[in-house]
Amino acid sequence: MKKNILYAIALAVSFVGCSRPQDKRTEIENKVETLLHKMTLEEKLGQMNQLSPWNFEELADRVRKGEVGSILNVVNSEEINKIQNIAVEESRLGIPILVSRDVIHGYKTIFPIPLGQAATFNPEVVEKGARVAAVEASADGIRWTFAPMIDVSRDPRWGRIAESCGEDPYLNAVMGTAMIKGFQGDSLNDPTAIAACAKHFVAYGASEGGKDYNSTFIPERVLRNVYLPPFKAAVDAGCATFMTSFNDNDGIPGTANKFVLKDILRDEWKFDGMVVTDWTSTAEMINHGFCTDGKDAAEKSVNAGVDMEMVSETFIKNLKQSVAEGKVSMETIDNAVRNILRLKFRLGLFENPYIVTPQSVKYAEEHLLAAKTAAEQSVILLKNDAQTLPLTDKVKTVAVVGPMADAPYEQMGTWVFDGEKEHTQTPLKAIREMYGDKVNVIFEQGLAYSRDKNTSGIAKAVNAARRADVVVCFVGEESILSGEAHSLANLDLQGAQSQLIKSLAATGKPVVTVVMAGRQLTISDEVEASDAVLYSFHPGTMGGPAIADILFGKVNPSGKTPVTFPRMTGQAPIYYAHNNTGRPANPTEMLIDEIPVEAGQTSVGCRSFYLDAGNSPLFPFGYGLSYTNFEYSDLKLASDKLTVDGEVNVSVNLKNAGKYDGTEVVQLYVQDKVGSVTRPVKELKAFQRVELKAGESKTVTFSLPVSDLAFWRYDMSYGVEAGDFKLWVGTNSAEGLSAEFSVMN
Ligand code: GLC
């Protein structure tokens, strides 16, 4: 009797009408409680169950019975409305279904892969891309995406580096936040808002050997200093959901890791969103040897803090028995269902369960333009000898060559379930349509696809080069070679691509190599053979027009490497924010071909480097050239004696000393020279995109709170340590103007 009175009061309160966010929150909490207390245990377990259905009628039947809380991989808007109607009108409680999909870097209009978006160092462009994706996806009823993927990724052998925002925690945090804001918009109950999902929680990017799904061995301090910060930023950005990771870290699978799922995510970070497993990752704990059977897996997963199970259905099959046995408490089930219902109320699904966004938004002109802007800013100029680029009016004939010049499907990159290659504008198409009136275009593919070992077409490509003033050769990776489960043990260009480039170079004609790939590749020889190199992490639908405008100088490239480029695969994992070690390498270490025969045991020095590859990367993190040149000067610190609650105020003069207008990504790195634990040789703490006209100068200032220099210390407390610091302001992680400062207690 008492419970009913309480619920009646709660219900009355919820209808009083609330306007302030807190009131809205209370209103939703009241609705959640009211609904929860009407649900049977079976219906609660139904909400915790996510299906990727094969048969519509079977799905309809299970929805009618209240056995389904969410679906993924259904994208037919009519089917979704039908399913929603069954859920709302025919199930006992009328709880709407949460419709989800991997909308990772676009839905129909495809943006550069996330690694390419990170290369823009432009969160506004990234936010816009996510917003476009949300508008297009919601038109098909999708209201939950499994993005952003913010796994710090430092090993290019790992195919999923393509899906990440690179190697740096700060860059992943900034870009992940931008994506969450774009996906979710100003309010989750906007019909074009789609709930974001921070994934994969946690440290999946550290998979041993870069082999996907492999174990990780990341201790708590490194978790907290490197792998967790992007996820904390996601919580701060209001990310609606989290996804557990496949990897076992220090022997504990992400899907049953109570320490991260409860102690950190819930208790420390106060996350009140919903946690979903990865695809069958609950059941896969049996393979891990962590669980004996599906029931054991379900119990360990839900007791660790998981709310919803993706596809493997161990929850719905076993947890009723687990509750009866007392192995899972009803409170645990109720808390999981609260998180699910709360999300559905926040999305406005109870008020508006059906699709309202018009189909006409797909490939809208403004969407394509946004995708072109993102692609333009994602392209990195790695080399440009003798100002080979941009192509000037002196160029009358261009030979367009290579397997990626006209590869509409490959250009979209990994994690494209709904993009259509028919809409892709390839470089060949764009160069012909946009510049065909200025130059004569000769096209010879040379190789049929990136892995092609058949060299019979190279002669024709070489012949085309001989007839041209310049050769633009498009190489890289087919889409299938990066992304989930697509790890590589060798990062050299596949097939005969390297031979193609060298054959073209042998003609003596200027060779511009454009690489379209899902990761950084070991391209030392190809860079050496080329006069200019552009790197474009699978640029998406509008990659062609973007690259064409860059080749012909309408756009000045501004992209920066979001990952470190190794010289050889064996250098991986490779990243700039490494520790110094007790024996740091010298830049001038003797390399393998310089070592005399019968060299003495210690004659080549005892320092941390590879005899055959040295210690330096091919290109450092944050690297990217411009058609103009930027000059840094006059670095100034407002004070070099700071307190913990102070700010590092630094300025530098930046001049565009060249003849092209351009944009420079000015980067601020800081080194904590001595810590209670060893600290990285430097860490990115801020960056700014600065547009300058030719000849223009500007004073660029950074105001960095000293508290941003905090880290998890020897005693596992979090804070700034007094001591000496060094900072750099510059064009990449390997060069810049520097100054030193101290922090006092
Ligand atoms: C996949 C991926 C995850 C994705 C999910 C649904 O295996 O690991 O990132 O969101 O399954 O497709």
Side-chain angles (χ1 to χ4, degrees):
M1 180 59 181
K2 182 185 175 197
K3 194 184 288 187
N4 292 338
I5 292 170
L6 282 176
Y7 297 134
I9 292 167
L11 206 57
V13 167
S14 70
F15 288 124
V16 163
C18 311
S19 54
R20 299 194 310 273
Q22 186 48 39
D23 294 343
K24 187 69 183 166
R25 196 185 302 274
T26 307
E27 177 188 339
I28 286 178
E29 293 313 311
N30 288 337
K31 289 179 178 177
V32 166
E33 289 308 315
T34 303
L35 180 51
L36 181 72
H37 287 87
K38 295 178 182 173
M39 298 173 73
T40 65
L41 175 55
E42 291 79 357
E43 287 165 332
K44 292 174 182 176
L45 297 182
Q47 286 302 307
M48 297 167 72
N49 191 38
Q50 181 183 59
L51 296 182
S52 182
W54 297 100
N55 175 290
F56 184 83
E57 288 315 314
E58 180 190 326
L59 174 64
D61 182 47
R62 298 194 68 184
V63 166
R64 205 171 279 118
K65 292 174 182 171
E67 295 178 3
V68 186
S70 172
I71 58 177
L72 72 157
N73 300 331
V74 178
V75 291
N76 177 300
S77 50
E78 289 163 16
E79 278 188 359
I80 286 171
N81 271 337
K82 280 181 188 169
I83 280 298
Q84 206 61 286
N85 185 266
I86 291 168
V88 170
E89 303 300 338
E90 299 180 32
S91 72
R92 190 177 78 89
L93 291 170
I95 301 172
I97 296 289
L98 181 48
V99 182
S100 64
R101 181 71 160 177
D102 289 284
V103 183
I104 308 298
H105 54 107
Y107 181 62
K108 291 295 181 181
T109 302
I110 302 302
F111 283 70
I113 57 173
L115 194 57
Q117 293 189 45
T120 68
F121 279 73
N122 189 339
E124 287 73 30
V125 157
V126 171
E127 180 176 343
K128 175 66 177 174
R131 186 86 297 266
V132 165
V135 168
E136 293 190 350
S138 61
D140 277 346
I142 293 158
R143 297 298 309 277
W144 182 20
T145 181
F146 302 122
M149 189 272 220
I150 43 181
D151 298 305
V152 170
S153 306
R154 296 175 159 179
D155 194 326
R157 293 173 293 179
W158 191 49
R160 300 200 77 163
I161 197 169
E163 198 181 340
S164 78
C165 295
E167 70 182 58
D168 182 76
Y170 177 73
L171 187 59
N172 269 280
V174 169
M175 294 307 177
T177 296
M179 289 177 185
I180 291 161
K181 289 179 176 176
F183 287 132
Q184 298 186 170
D186 296 330
S187 170
L188 273 178
N189 68 10
D190 181 305
T192 66
I194 62 177
C197 183
K199 73 182 188 182
H200 305 81
F201 201 53
V202 69
Y204 183 20
S207 297
E208 189 173 62
K211 187 168 62 173
D212 205 0
Y213 313 118
N214 207 2
S215 302
T216 59
F217 306 92
I218 304 298
E220 181 183 346
R221 187 187 341 272
V222 177
L223 270 185
R224 289 182 179 276
N225 282 331
V226 176
Y227 293 93
L228 286 169
F231 290 94
K232 177 60 171 60
V235 171
D236 294 344
C239 191
T241 69
F242 267 53
M243 180 186 289
T244 65
S245 62
F246 285 124
N247 56 299
D248 55 318
N249 187 55
D250 191 19
I252 301 172
T255 303
N257 192 327
K258 177 184 170 296
F259 172 61
V260 295
L261 292 174
K262 271 191 177 173
D263 301 353
I264 292 180
L265 183 59
R266 300 289 184 184
D267 298 347
E268 282 184 36
W269 295 354
K270 309 303 179 194
F271 177 64
D272 72 350
M274 191 256 277
V275 174
V276 66
T277 71
D278 203 336
W279 185 279
T280 70
S281 63
T282 306
E284 288 174 9
M285 292 196 287
I286 301 167
N287 298 338
H288 275 287
F290 188 77
C291 298
T292 52
D293 55 23
K295 182 171 179 289
D296 184 30
E299 290 163 2
K300 284 175 179 168
S301 179
V302 78
N303 283 331
V306 170
D307 300 318
M308 183 178 281
E309 180 183 17
M310 185 184 287
V311 176
S312 40
E313 296 208 71
T314 65
F315 285 15
I316 198 167
K317 288 174 183 168
N318 297 289
L319 290 182
K320 184 175 180 181
Q321 180 64 25
S322 305
V323 169
E325 294 169 357
K327 291 183 177 174
V328 173
S329 70
M330 182 54 82
E331 183 190 7
T332 296
I333 301 293
D334 285 349
N335 284 337
V337 177
R338 281 189 181 97
N339 294 331
I340 295 166
L341 295 179
R342 184 180 304 116
L343 177 57
K344 293 186 176 184
F345 277 113
R346 283 176 172 170
L347 283 166
L349 289 177
F350 287 87
E351 291 85 1
N352 300 302
Y354 303 110
I355 298 165
V356 295
T357 308
Q359 295 297 311
S360 60
V361 297
K362 296 172 185 174
Y363 300 114
E365 198 51 40
E366 66 160 312
H367 293 178
L368 295 172
L369 188 58
K372 179 173 182 284
T373 301
E376 286 167 358
Q377 295 189 18
S378 71
V379 175
I380 304 162
L381 179 61
L382 294 177
K383 179 181 182 182
N384 192 22
D385 284 0
Q387 284 289 324
T388 303
L389 290 177
L391 305 178
T392 66
D393 294 343
K394 292 177 186 169
V395 173
K396 301 303 179 191
T397 300
V398 175
V400 175
V401 170
M404 297 297 285
D406 196 34
Y409 175 81
E410 313 305 348
Q411 179 176 317
M412 292 193 287
T414 189
W415 281 113
V416 173
F417 285 166
D418 304 291
E420 296 151 306
K421 69 175 186 177
E422 294 73 18
H423 288 264
T424 302
Q425 298 194 36
T426 65
L428 175 66
K429 180 174 184 289
I431 293 169
R432 279 176 166 160
E433 290 180 0
M434 298 163 69
Y435 293 92
D437 59 338
K438 284 181 64 175
V439 293
N440 174 32
V441 180
I442 309 171
F443 173 55
E444 280 297 344
Q445 207 168 23
L447 299 168
Y449 55 98
S450 71
R451 291 166 292 148
D452 192 2
K453 296 182 174 67
N454 178 349
T455 59
S456 61
I458 289 181
K460 279 188 174 180
V462 168
N463 183 37
R466 289 204 175 99
R467 291 156 39 212
D469 301 312
V470 69
V471 191
V472 185
C473 182
F474 292 85
V475 294
E477 290 182 309
E478 292 152 79
S479 164
I480 191 66
L481 299 178
S482 64
E484 182 173 352
H486 303 155
S487 299
L488 290 174
N490 182 342
L491 298 173
D492 293 342
L493 282 174
Q494 298 288 335
Q497 295 184 105
S498 190
Q499 182 182 336
L500 171 63
I501 291 168
K502 289 170 186 170
S503 303
L504 296 169
T507 65
K509 299 286 184 163
V511 174
V512 176
T513 294
V514 182
V515 184
M516 288 191 197
R519 53 162 65 84
Q520 65 273 44
L521 297 170
T522 44
I523 53 172
S524 303
D525 293 348
E526 295 76 12
V527 169
E528 178 67 29
S530 305
D531 299 277
V533 179
L534 291 168
Y535 214 90
S536 173
F537 296 105
H538 290 131
T541 302
M542 297 299 284
I547 292 170
D549 276 346
I550 287 171
L551 288 170
F552 288 89
K554 187 176 179 185
V555 171
N556 187 353
S558 59
K560 297 284 187 177
T561 52
V563 284
T564 301
F565 279 58
R567 296 179 185 282
M568 296 170 78
T569 305
Q571 287 181 299
I574 185 169
Y575 50 99
Y576 81 91
H578 58 80
N579 289 351
N580 205 30
T581 78
R583 296 193 176 186
N586 296 320
T588 56
E589 298 294 352
M590 190 191 310
L591 298 184
I592 195 160
D593 293 335
E594 302 159 313
I595 299 172
V597 174
E598 295 186 4
Q601 164 71 24
T602 60
S603 66
V604 292
C606 302
R607 285 177 294 278
S608 178
F609 74 107
Y610 300 93
L611 290 180
D612 52 354
N615 198 48
S616 66
L618 179 62
F619 297 106
F621 173 87
Y623 179 89
L625 302 176
S626 172
Y627 291 154
T628 193
N629 60 295
F630 293 103
E631 292 175 354
Y632 289 75
S633 62
D634 201 14
L635 180 76
K636 287 179 184 159
L637 269 179
S639 167
D640 61 0
K641 300 279 185 294
L642 299 162
T643 56
V644 177
D645 59 355
E647 287 182 340
V648 184
N649 291 303
V650 58
S651 66
V652 70
N653 187 61
L654 181 69
K655 180 177 183 179
N656 178 344
K659 59 181 182 176
Y660 291 95
D661 298 350
T663 298
E664 168 69 331
V665 177
V666 180
Q667 301 155 52
L668 169 66
Y669 296 86
V670 178
Q671 177 189 22
D672 186 345
K673 297 176 85 169
V674 178
S676 57
V677 293
T678 55
R679 306 288 295 123
V681 294
K682 61 177 65 172
E683 297 174 290
L684 179 69
K685 291 296 180 183
F687 59 84
Q688 294 179 41
R689 282 178 62 89
V690 181
E691 292 184 22
L692 291 177
K693 295 203 175 302
E696 184 184 2
S697 292
K698 180 178 181 181
T699 299
V700 180
T701 60
F702 290 96
S703 185
L704 179 73
V706 171
S707 57
D708 281 8
L709 306 180
F711 67 102
W712 291 84
R713 300 176 285 200
Y714 177 81
D715 61 358
M716 285 309 287
S717 65
Y718 181 69
V720 179
E721 286 180 350
D724 297 334
F725 292 76
K726 185 171 184 178
L727 68 78
W728 294 260
V729 178
T731 188
N732 63 57
S733 60
E735 53 186 298
L737 300 179
S738 65
E740 304 206 354
F741 63 93
S742 301
V743 172
M744 280 78 87
N745 276 322

